[in-house]
Amino acid sequence: MSWHQQYRSSKFRHVYGKAASKDKCYDCVPITHNINDNHFCAVNPSFIAVVTECVGGGAFLVIPVKQTGKLDPHYPKVCGHKGSVLDIKWNPFNDFVIASCSEDATVKIWDIPNQLLKRNITTPKKELLGHARRVGLIEWHPTADNILFSSGYDYKIMIWNLGVMGAVISKPVKILDAHRDVVLSMSFNTDGSLLATACRDRKIRVIDPRAGTVLQEGSYKSHRVNKVSFLGNMKMLFSTGMSRWNNRQIALWDQNDLSVPLLEEDLDGSSGLLFPVYDSDTHMLYVVGKGDGNIRYYEISPEKPYLNYLMEYHSHLPQKGIGMMPKRGLDVAACEIFRFYKLIPTKSLIEPISMIVPRRSESYQSDIYPLTAAAQPALTAEEWLAGINKGQHIES
């Protein structure tokens, strides 16, 4: 078991989670009641976007990060979908562009104005029409500009080039038709040359998205996978799911051999989904429980035992979804290495939770802030589609 190893020197061994004070939370936010297993929240240094309850169609709110406290009940929404919004993701290279997908089988791209919203935004910048059924997941490419992946209940993953002309794009540049059931999770490796998926058929796949070929497929009988995540450049995948006995379970895989996990571990008997969140800068992995208030965190190492349990953040308030602040939005003066935004529908509250390395010094601690991904693309859409791979631009 991963936590039996007692003596490991690590600068992240004493990381602790600290919830924001009430005045730094976002109150009176009508958070969606949708039962889909998504984050329902997307964050960047400028804005928090959260899927909201609304009558007739689907909408989400975009709140400036600095605008904490009570939300005006008449606060404007982004509402152009005819069905519930199922996923939202900020463009990693532009803090004012967000993508949303919906039960209405469309994906929409929105421009968010620099100033406070005065009225509802109803007209998207682009509309992507290709899926035959509702679209459950979207994911921006990590290094190429204007490339978006969408996954629908038609079992297809579509790759879109948003750089083409026109407000409506009805032809994806590529359709990945490797699944025979609904895709539950998509994750890229660091340079975006590989895509890992978890599917309702209980299989994990590693796919070359440009060739459309499945490079690895694993269907390990005793692990029913829900979510999967690449662990940066570690050549490993991490998945969460359920064991044969319906315990919540985590597993670690060699990305080149999905026949048997490197490690699997039962966590508890709860039924809520587990979201894996990996921080490749610190090699820390967070496992966020949906429907409970817990965030477990581990440190990943390239050799055995691979997964080193650090600690668990406990809260009696269950989270429905979670948003993650990119590194460039953190408070380095407080030694903050990660920040979650926890959706608490029972209280209509979004609560920031900071993960902090305890340090005595007030000065900038360069050892806990390695170079991180910059907000600039490394490639154009055309370069990536032509087969070029490039790592992320990094900055201090």
Side-chain angles (χ1 to χ4, degrees), residues 138-278:
I138 42 179
E139 212 62 65
W140 293 90
H141 193 275
T143 60
D145 202 14
N146 279 326
I147 294 282
L148 185 77
F149 281 52
S150 63
S151 160
Y153 280 65
D154 52 8
Y155 311 158
K156 292 180 171 54
I157 294 175
M158 298 190 179
I159 307 175
W160 304 89
N161 178 1
L162 306 181
V164 301
M165 299 296 287
V168 177
I169 305 175
S170 50
K171 205 166 182 308
V173 288
K174 182 99 190 153
I175 297 176
L176 305 181
D177 202 3
H179 301 87
R180 295 290 162 265
D181 209 328
V182 178
V183 175
L184 304 173
S185 175
M186 294 191 287
S187 174
F188 288 104
N189 65 342
T190 315
D191 68 3
S193 59
L194 297 175
L195 177 75
T197 63
C199 180
R200 200 182 276 164
D201 64 7
R202 302 181 180 181
K203 292 181 181 176
I204 296 174
R205 292 173 177 84
V206 175
I207 298 168
D208 177 335
R210 286 169 296 205
T213 50
V214 177
L215 305 177
Q216 285 290 324
E217 185 173 288
S219 54
Y220 186 64
K221 294 288 178 281
S222 68
H223 179 73
R224 299 200 303 275
V225 64
N226 295 120
K227 297 286 177 191
V228 68
S229 178
F230 265 107
L231 298 181
N233 288 326
M234 290 269 194
K235 302 270 191 274
M236 290 191 283
L237 295 170
F238 179 83
S239 66
T240 66
M242 305 298 277
S243 75
R244 199 173 276 168
W245 317 110
N246 280 349
N247 286 327
R248 292 202 292 192
Q249 195 179 53
I250 56 176
L252 199 62
W253 310 82
D254 176 341
Q255 76 180 41
N256 298 315
D257 177 10
L258 299 179
S259 56
V260 177
L262 298 169
L263 177 136
E264 63 174 328
E265 214 167 87
D266 284 15
L267 292 189
D268 56 35
S270 298
S271 59
L273 192 92
L274 295 167
F275 294 116
V277 179
Y278 182 62

